[in-house]
C-alpha cells in the first residue's frame, strides 16, 4: 500500500470527525481551513515538482520527451473532456445528491485530469520497479509535467463557471492556456539558467548553505513566475530539470537534502489534506465516486492514453495499456478541488468529497496493483 496513504488516514483521524482537538464543536478549525490547506499544498507541490525535475536525467527522458509531453497536455485535455461528460450524466442519475451543469462537470473533471507526481514517484522509486521500453521515465515525465495543464484547465473553467472572465469564448480559453504554458516554460528555462550560473560563482562560508540556496532558488522561480502571469508549476519543474542536469558546487549534498525535504513535504501535504475531509460525508458520495473512479481507471484514462500515443508506434500495446493503468490520483487533485471551494462554485463541497473518494480508490486499487500488472503484461 502506498505509504503516503497512511498520512492521509492519520489526517482524517485527527480531523473534525476524528479525535483531533484543533477543531471546535462546529467542526471549524481554529488554525486550519480550506485556504490554509491550499497554501500548504501549493508550497509542497512547488517543492515536489522542483525535486522531480532535479532527479530527472535528460538522457533518460530524451527518448520519451515527445510522447511524455503529449500525454502531459493532449492526454490531460482528453481525460478532462471524456470524464467531464460522464460526470454530467452520472450526476443526472444521482440527482438527489446534486445536479450540475456541463461546465461544472468539466471543472470537476479538470481537477482530476492529471496524474499525481508524488504518488507516481513514490511508488515507482520506493518499490524499485524496473520497467522495460523506457516506461519509467515516460511515466515520471508525464506525472511531473502534466500538473500545469490540469492547473490551467481548472482555473480557466472556474472563470467560466463563475463568469469572472466576462464573455468567455473557446478562443480566449485556448489563448489563456497557451500563454500560461509558454510563459511558464520560458521563465523556468531563463531562471534555471541564471541560478546555475549563480551557484557556480557563489562562495559561501559553509557548505550546508548550498542546499538552502537551491531551496531559495525553487521558491524564487515559483514566486517570480506567478507575478509574471506564467504557469508556476511548469516553471519550477523546468527550473529543477535545468539545475539537476548542470554541474555546480556541492550538487550531491543539495540533491540529498531535497530528497529528504520532498518526503517531508509529501507527508505534510497528505496529512493536511486528510484534516480537511469529514469521513462521514464520504458515504453519501460513495456511489458517484465508485462509478466515476472506475470509469476513469478503465475507460477515460485508457482512451486518452491510446489516442495520445497513436503517433508513437515504437511503444507496444502492452506498454500503452500499462501506461494507462498508472494514472494515479493523489494529493494534486485534492489540492485543485479546493480552488472551486474558495471561488464559491455551487456544490463545491460535494465535488471535493467525490474527488477525495476517487483519490483513495485510485491509491488503494491502482497503487497496490502496479507491480502485479507490470508482471501480467511482461514489462
Amino acid at each position: 500500500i502506498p505509504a503516503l496513504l497512511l498520512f492521509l488516514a492519520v489526517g482524517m483521524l485527527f480531523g473534525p470527525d476524528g479525535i483531533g482537538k484543533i477543531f471546535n464543536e462546529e467542526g471549524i478549525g481554529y488554525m486550519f481551513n480550506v485556504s490554509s490547506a491550499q497554501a500548504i499544498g501549493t508550497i509542497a507541490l512547488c517543492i515536489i515538482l522542483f525535486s522531480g525535475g532535479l532527479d530527472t536525467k535528460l538522457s533518460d527522458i530524451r527518448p520519451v520527451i515527445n510522447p511524455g509531453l503529449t500525454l502531459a497536455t493532449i492526454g490531460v485535455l482528453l481525460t478532462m473532456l471524456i470524464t467531464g461528460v460522464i460526470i454530467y450524466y452520472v450526476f443526472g442519475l444521482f440527482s438527489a445528491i446534486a445536479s450540475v451543469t456541463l461546465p461544472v462537470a468539466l471543472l470537476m473533471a479538470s481537477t482530476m485530469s492529471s496524474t499525481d507526481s508524488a504518488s507516481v514517484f513514490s511508488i515507482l522509486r520506493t518499490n524499485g520497479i524496473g520497467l522495460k521500453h523506457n516506461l519509467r521515465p515516460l511515466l515520471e515525465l508525464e506525472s511531473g509535467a502534466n500538473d500545469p495543464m490540469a492547473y490551467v484547465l481548472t482555473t480557466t473553467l472556474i472563470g467560466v463557471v463563475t463568469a469572472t472572465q466576462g464573455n468567455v469564448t473557446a478562443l480566449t480559453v485556448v489563448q489563456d492556456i497557451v500563454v500560461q504554458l509558454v510563459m511558464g516554460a520560458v521563465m523556468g528555462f531563463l531562471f534555471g539558467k541564471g541560478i546555475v550560473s549563480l551557484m557556480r560563482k557563489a562562495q559561501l562560508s559553509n557548505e550546508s548553505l548550498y542546499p538552502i540556496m537551491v531551496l531559495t532558488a525553487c521558491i524564487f522561480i515559483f514566486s517570480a513566475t506567478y507575478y509574471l502571469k506564467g504557469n508556476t508549476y511548469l516553471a519550477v519543474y523546468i527550473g529543477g530539470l535545468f539545475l539537476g542536469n548542470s554541474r555546480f558546487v556541492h550538487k550531491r549534498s543539495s540533491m540529498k537534502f531535497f530528497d529528504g525535504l520532498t518526503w517531508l513535504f509529501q507527508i505534510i501535504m497528505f496529512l493536511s489534506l486528510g484534516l480537511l475531509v469529514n469521513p462521514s460525508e464520504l458515504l453519501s458520495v460513495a456511489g458517484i465516486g465508485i462509478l466515476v473512479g472506475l470509469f476513469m481507471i478503465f475507460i477515460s484514462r485508457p482512451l486518452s492514453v491510446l489516442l495520445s500515443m497513436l503517433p508513437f508506434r515504437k511503444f507496444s500495446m502492452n506498454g500503452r495499456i500499462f501506461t494507462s493503468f498508472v494514472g494515479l490520483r493523489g494529493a494534486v487533485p485534492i489540492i485543485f478541488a479546493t480552488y472551486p471551494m474558495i471561488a464559491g462554485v455551487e456544490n463545491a463541497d460535494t465535488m471535493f468529497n467525490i474527488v477525495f473518494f476517487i483519490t483513495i480508490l485510485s491509491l488503494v486499487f491502482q497503487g497496490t496493483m502496479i507491480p502485479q500488472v507490470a508482471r501480467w503484461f511482461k514489462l
Side-chain angles (χ1 to χ4, degrees):
I1 296 174
L4 295 173
L5 192 60
L6 169 66
F7 298 100
L8 202 63
V10 171
M12 294 166 68
L13 177 65
F14 283 87
D17 275 4
I19 61 173
K21 301 298 182 185
I22 65 168
F23 293 88
N24 59 23
E25 293 179 356
E26 287 75 34
I28 302 172
Y30 292 117
M31 299 287 290
F32 190 81
N33 52 33
V34 176
S35 297
S36 56
Q38 187 187 92
I40 291 169
T42 299
I43 296 168
L45 195 55
C46 168
I47 301 293
I48 292 166
L49 288 175
F50 186 80
S51 179
L54 279 177
D55 288 338
T56 303
K57 295 180 181 178
L58 279 175
S59 58
D60 290 341
I61 68 168
R62 194 170 284 115
V64 297
I65 194 163
N66 289 331
L69 293 180
T70 302
L71 286 172
T73 51
I74 304 301
V76 169
L77 180 63
L78 290 173
T79 301
M80 183 270 289
L81 293 173
I82 298 169
T83 306
V85 171
I86 195 63
I87 288 174
Y88 177 70
Y89 286 107
V90 168
F91 264 89
L93 298 174
F94 291 85
S95 55
I97 295 177
S99 58
V100 298
T101 61
L102 184 57
V104 172
L106 291 172
L107 169 59
M108 180 178 164
S110 69
T111 65
M112 301 183 289
S113 57
S114 67
T115 56
D116 184 66
S117 55
S119 302
V120 171
F121 285 17
S122 171
I123 289 173
L124 293 183
R125 295 182 181 184
T126 303
N127 294 346
I129 299 174
L131 297 172
K132 299 177 183 178
H133 313 310
N134 285 325
L135 286 176
R136 178 171 160 176
L138 173 68
L139 291 166
E140 291 187 351
L141 174 62
E142 181 205 6
S143 65
N146 64 7
D147 294 334
M149 184 67 174
Y151 172 79
V152 171
L153 290 173
T154 299
T155 53
T156 302
L157 283 165
I158 286 174
V160 172
V161 170
T162 58
T164 58
Q165 296 183 348
N167 296 323
V168 180
T169 64
L171 181 61
T172 58
V173 171
V174 171
Q175 286 177 338
D176 187 44
I177 292 172
V178 171
V179 168
Q180 280 205 46
L181 293 178
V182 170
M183 182 65 76
V186 171
M187 292 301 102
F189 174 78
L190 293 178
F191 287 133
K193 192 173 181 179
I195 288 164
V196 168
S197 177
L198 184 64
M199 292 292 295
R200 287 172 176 171
K201 295 177 181 177
Q203 295 181 351
L204 303 179
S205 58
N206 190 321
E207 69 177 61
S208 300
L209 293 174
Y210 284 90
I212 305 299
M213 191 173 179
V214 177
L215 173 61
T216 308
C218 167
I219 302 296
F220 173 79
I221 292 173
F222 186 93
S223 304
T225 306
Y226 174 82
Y227 284 107
L228 292 171
K229 308 300 181 184
N231 189 280
T232 52
Y233 296 124
L234 183 60
V236 293
Y237 181 75
I238 291 178
L241 189 66
F242 198 94
L243 200 62
N245 286 274
S246 303
R247 292 182 179 181
F248 57 89
V249 181
H250 299 299
K251 178 179 178 179
R252 181 175 295 181
S253 60
S254 297
M255 301 285 280
K256 285 186 175 295
F257 170 81
F258 253 88
D259 190 37
L261 192 68
T262 300
W263 268 104
L264 173 63
F265 272 94
Q266 287 179 19
I267 290 169
I268 291 171
M269 179 169 61
F270 275 80
L271 189 67
S272 61
L273 292 173
L275 284 170
L276 265 189
V277 75
N278 298 325
S280 58
E281 296 177 358
L282 295 180
L283 294 176
S284 62
V285 300
I288 293 180
I290 291 172
L291 277 178
V292 174
L294 292 178
F295 181 88
M296 289 191 72
I297 293 171
F298 293 110
I299 298 178
S300 63
R301 166 72 178 176
L303 269 178
S304 65
V305 169
L306 292 175
L307 290 172
S308 300
M309 296 186 72
L310 278 176
F312 310 104
R313 302 189 180 278
K314 68 177 182 178
F315 289 95
S316 66
M317 183 53 67
N318 281 2
R320 295 165 195 250
I321 294 173
F322 179 75
T323 300
S324 71
F325 187 78
V326 191
L328 285 169
R329 268 65 202 173
V332 173
I334 303 174
I335 294 169
F336 288 168
T338 63
Y339 284 80
M341 296 174 73
I342 293 175
V345 174
E346 189 177 1
N347 297 318
D349 290 347
T350 302
M351 291 166 57
F352 177 85
N353 288 329
I354 293 171
V355 171
F356 196 96
F357 187 94
I358 291 172
T359 295
I360 294 175
L361 177 68
S362 174
L363 286 173
V364 171
F365 177 65
Q366 291 172 284
T368 56
M369 290 293 291
I370 284 174
Q372 185 59 50
V373 172
R375 292 189 202 101
W376 284 343
F377 286 99
K378 299 179 180 178
L379 295 169

